[in-house]
């Protein structure tokens, strides 16, 4: 029986780790791309062949894309039932007005949050062009890509760029006989290190801190495991990709 292959970035913690664990439990072969390997992922496999962990800094965009392209080029299309790329990794830059954020900090946030997903998507689509099994690209976006927020310009810009990038590539793939399906999906508010970082910021430089503190105190944050289930359920929808920009809270 053919297996499904999923390539996942940022799979070593948070929702990414939860998605990786759930994909492995469902029998997927998983390639996890993160700066560090995860013992939790390794413990979730039934066989060693089910998991590959690449320790890769996504800020090195060219090397990341080249590695993915080479790997996919080594595969035989007929061996797989489906193939999916999940661009989940991102970074929270310094929480401050853009005038107070270093150029290096801005560049890193944009490389990991937007440039790497673009390059990896390009490598994925080029290496699998013409493959006839279902091919999907799921880009993990954010409500902050659709709503401006002070002191988070880099993060908001990266996610907004991801949304429009996904729309553009969806148009490109729609004209192909076996084009890939793409979606840039906002996963809701999740109880992760990012939320801790936001609600612990300096109030003087972050006008929205009260909103994030209220989400936590009001119990309105989704656990990483629950968020992962909702995201993967969206990925498995029969109409995945019909709306290239979506939110898990949509009907």
């Amino acid at each position: 029986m053919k297996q499904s292959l999923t390539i996942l970035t940022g799979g070593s913690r948070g929702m990414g780790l939860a998605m990786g664990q759930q994909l492995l439990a469902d029998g997927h072969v998983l390639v996890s791309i993160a700066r560090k390997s995860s013992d939790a992922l390794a413990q979730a496999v039934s066989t060693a062949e089910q998991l590959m962990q690449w320790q890769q800094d996504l800020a090195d965009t060219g090397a990341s894309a080249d590695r993915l392209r080479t790997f996919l080029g080594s595969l035989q299309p007929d061996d797989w039932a489906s193939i999916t790329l999940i661009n989940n990794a991102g970074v929270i830059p310094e929480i401050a007005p853009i005038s107070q954020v270093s150029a290096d900090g801005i560049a890193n946030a944009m490389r990991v949050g937007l440039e790497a997903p673009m390059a990896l998507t390009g490598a994925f689509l080029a290496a699998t062009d013409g493959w006839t099994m279902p091919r999907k690209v799921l880009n993990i976006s954010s409500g902050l890509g659709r709503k401006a927020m002070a002191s988070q310009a880099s993060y908001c810009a990266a996610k907004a760029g991801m949304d429009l990038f996904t729309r553009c590539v969806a148009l490109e793939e729609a004209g192909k006989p076996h084009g890939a399906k793409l979606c840039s999906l906002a996963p809701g508010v999740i109880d992760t290190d990012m939320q801790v970082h936001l609600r612990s910021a300096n109030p003087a430089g972050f006008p929205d801190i009260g909103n994030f503190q209220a989400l936590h105190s009001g119990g309105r944050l989704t656990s990483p495991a629950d968020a992962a289930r909702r995201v993967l359920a969206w990925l498995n929808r029969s109409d995945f990709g019909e709306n290239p920009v979506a939110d898990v809270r949509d009907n």
Side-chain angles (χ1 to χ4, degrees), residues 80-226:
W80 303 100
S82 66
I83 184 167
T84 300
L85 171 65
I86 303 177
N87 286 306
N88 166 72
V91 296
I92 285 289
E94 183 180 354
I95 302 172
I98 198 70
S99 60
Q100 300 175 22
V101 180
S102 70
D104 286 345
I106 296 169
N108 186 63
M110 298 304 291
R111 284 194 192 106
V112 176
L114 180 57
E115 185 179 300
M118 292 178 69
L120 290 173
T121 299
F124 175 86
L125 295 175
T128 63
D129 190 42
W131 292 20
T132 59
M133 83 288 285
R135 294 181 300 141
K136 298 179 181 180
V137 178
L138 173 61
N139 292 322
I140 302 300
S141 187
S142 170
L144 292 183
R146 303 158 197 179
K147 176 183 177 182
M149 178 173 288
S151 298
Q152 278 297 283
S154 298
Y155 186 82
C156 291
K159 293 303 185 182
M162 178 176 280
D163 286 350
L164 193 54
F165 163 71
T166 304
R167 289 188 186 277
C168 293
V169 182
L171 290 174
E172 296 169 1
E173 291 295 306
K176 299 179 180 180
H178 300 285
K181 304 297 185 182
L182 295 94
C183 182
S184 186
L185 183 67
V189 287
I190 309 165
D191 193 7
T192 61
D193 291 342
M194 171 184 165
Q195 286 287 328
V196 174
H197 191 47
L198 289 168
R199 63 178 180 264
S200 302
N202 182 352
F206 189 37
D208 289 284
I209 188 172
N211 294 332
F212 290 95
Q213 292 172 337
L215 286 171
H216 180 254
S217 62
R220 288 180 284 161
L221 296 175
T222 307
S223 72
D226 285 344

Side-chain angles (χ1 to χ4, degrees), residues 7-20 30-36 38 41 53-54 56 58 86-90 112 120 140:
I7 301 106
L8 168 69
T9 68
S12 62
R13 62 180 183 173
M15 188 182 73
L17 171 58
M19 283 194 291
L30 180 68
V31 178
S32 174
I33 308 175
R35 284 185 297 174
K36 298 180 179 179
S38 166
L41 273 184
Q53 296 199 66
W54 295 356
Q56 181 77 47
L58 291 171
I86 303 177
N87 286 306
N88 166 72
V112 176
L120 290 173
I140 302 300

